C-alpha cells in the first residue's frame, strides 16, 4: 500500500524542513558533472513541493545553498545561482496557480544581484498565497542567523527598546529569520549523511530527524510521504515521560 494512504492527515507536521543532499554523488554515479545532479535536483524539488501541497503541509523549508557552499568551485557556484534564477523564473507561474507563497531565509544580500532581484520579485508576487509557504534557505547558516539575531537584540537593549529581562526564548525566536514560521516538527536529510550541517539549529530543538539513503535527485513525493508516515509512528515526548504523554 502506498504511504500516502497510511498517513493520518489530521496529524500532519505543520512544518517540514529538508536538507537536499547527494546531487554531486548522483551525477558522479552516471559519469556526469555535479551540475547535472543539481539540475535533476530541481525535478525532485518540484515533485516534493507538489506532494507537500497535495497532502496539506503548510510549511516546507529547503536548504538550497549554505554559507559554506560559497567555497565550492566557482563554476559550480555560478551554475547553482543560474539554476536558481531560471527555476524561480519558470516556476513562479506554477506557484501562483497552486497558491504557494515563496519565502527565503539567509544572507540574501550576498546573492548575485540578478538572483536577489528575481527572488524578491517572486516573493512579492506570491506574498498573498496561503496554501503552502515554501521557504528556501539560501546563503544560509544557522550560526550566522543566531549571531545576527544576537547583534540585533544587543542593539535594541542599548537603544532602550527592550530590557535585558525581556529576553526570553520567545523574544529570541522573534529575531530569527524564521520568525513567521512554526518550528519544524520533522527534518529530512537525503543521501545517508547523519548531520544537521548548520541548518535551523535553534528551530530543530524538538524536531524528529529522518534520514534516507536516497540521493536528492531520486527523491519523490512518495519518499516524503514515507518520512511523514514514519514521523507519525514516533512518540514525541518533549522531555516528559511516556506515561505523562499518554
Ligand atoms: C547538495 O548536494 C545540494 C546542493 C548544495 C544544492 C541544492 C540545489 C538544488 C536541488 C537545485 C536548486 C534548488 C532550488 C530550490 C531551485 P551536494 O552537491 O552536496 O551533493 P554531494 O554531497 O553528493 O556532493
Amino acid at each position: 500500500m502506498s504511504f500516502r494512504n497510511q498517513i493520518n492527515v489530521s496529524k500532519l507536521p505543520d512544518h517540514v524542513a529538508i536538507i537536499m543532499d547527494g546531487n554531486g554523488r548522483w551525477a558522479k554515479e552516471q559519469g556526469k558533472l555535479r551540475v547535472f545532479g543539481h539540475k535533476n535536483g530541481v525535478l525532485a524539488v518540484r515533485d516534493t513541493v507538489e506532494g507537500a501541497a497535495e497532502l496539506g503541509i503548510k510549511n516546507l523549508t529547503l536548504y538550497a545553498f549554505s554559507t559554506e557552499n560559497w567555497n565550492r568551485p566557482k563554476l559550480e557556484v555560478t551554475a547553482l545561482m543560474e539554476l536558481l534564477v531560471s527555476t524561480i523564473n519558470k516556476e513562479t507561474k506554477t506557484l501562483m496557480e497552486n497558491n504557494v507563497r515563496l519565502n527565503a531565509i539567509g544572507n540574501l544580500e550576498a546573492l548575485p544581484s540578478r538572483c536577489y532581484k528575481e527572488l524578491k520579485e517572486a516573493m512579492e508576487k506570491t506574498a498573498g498565497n496561503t496554501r503552502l509557504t515554501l521557504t528556501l534557505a539560501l546563503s544560509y547558516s544557522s550560526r550566522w542567523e543566531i549571531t545576527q539575531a544576537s547583534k540585533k537584540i544587543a542593539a535594541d537593549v542599548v537603544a532602550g527598546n527592550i530590557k535585558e529581562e525581556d529576553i526570553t526564548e520567545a523574544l529570541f525566536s522573534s529575531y530569527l529569520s524564521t520568525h513567521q514560521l512554526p518550528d519544524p516538527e520533522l527534518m529530512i536529510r537525503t543521501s545517508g549523511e547523519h548531520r544537521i550541517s548548520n541548518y535551523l539549529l535553534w528551530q530543530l530543538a524538538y524536531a524528529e530527524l529522518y534520514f534516507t539513503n536516497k540521493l536528492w535527485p531520486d527523491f519523490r513525493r512518495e519518499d516524503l510521504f514515507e518520512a511523514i508516515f514514519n514521523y507519525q509512528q514516533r512518540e514525541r515526548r518533549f522531555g516528559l515521560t511516556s506515561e505523562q504523554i499518554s
Side-chain angles (χ1 to χ4, degrees), residues 1-7 47-48 51 54 210 214 218-229:
M1 201 189 356
S2 125
F3 286 104
R4 168 76 180 82
N5 301 326
Q6 298 178 69
I7 289 175
D47 204 63
T48 304
E54 171 198 314
Y210 178 87
K214 277 243 169 128
D218 287 330
F219 195 88
R220 289 294 178 272
R221 70 186 75 190
E222 187 58 16
D223 299 300
L224 173 72
F225 299 156
E226 182 172 1
I228 292 171
F229 176 71

Side-chain angles (χ1 to χ4, degrees), residues 193-208:
E193 307 289 358
H194 294 188
R195 289 190 289 274
I196 300 184
S197 299
N198 218 345
Y199 187 43
L200 303 172
L201 300 180
W202 173 278
Q203 299 87 338
L204 291 177
Y206 285 103
E208 294 296 325

Side-chain angles (χ1 to χ4, degrees), residues 147-162 167 175:
T147 307
Q148 291 300 110
S150 307
K151 283 183 182 173
K152 282 188 218 151
I153 292 172
D156 273 346
V157 171
V158 170
N161 298 331
I162 53 171
I167 304 173
Y175 279 73

Side-chain angles (χ1 to χ4, degrees), residues 20-25 34 38 41-42 45 64 69 72 76 80 83-84 87 136 216:
M20 309 181 287
D21 196 13
N23 293 354
R25 276 163 283 168
R34 299 177 56 80
H38 298 316
V42 175
V45 169
N69 287 155
R72 289 194 173 195
E76 183 173 347
L80 265 170
L83 194 59
L84 263 169
T87 307
L136 301 181
W216 178 253

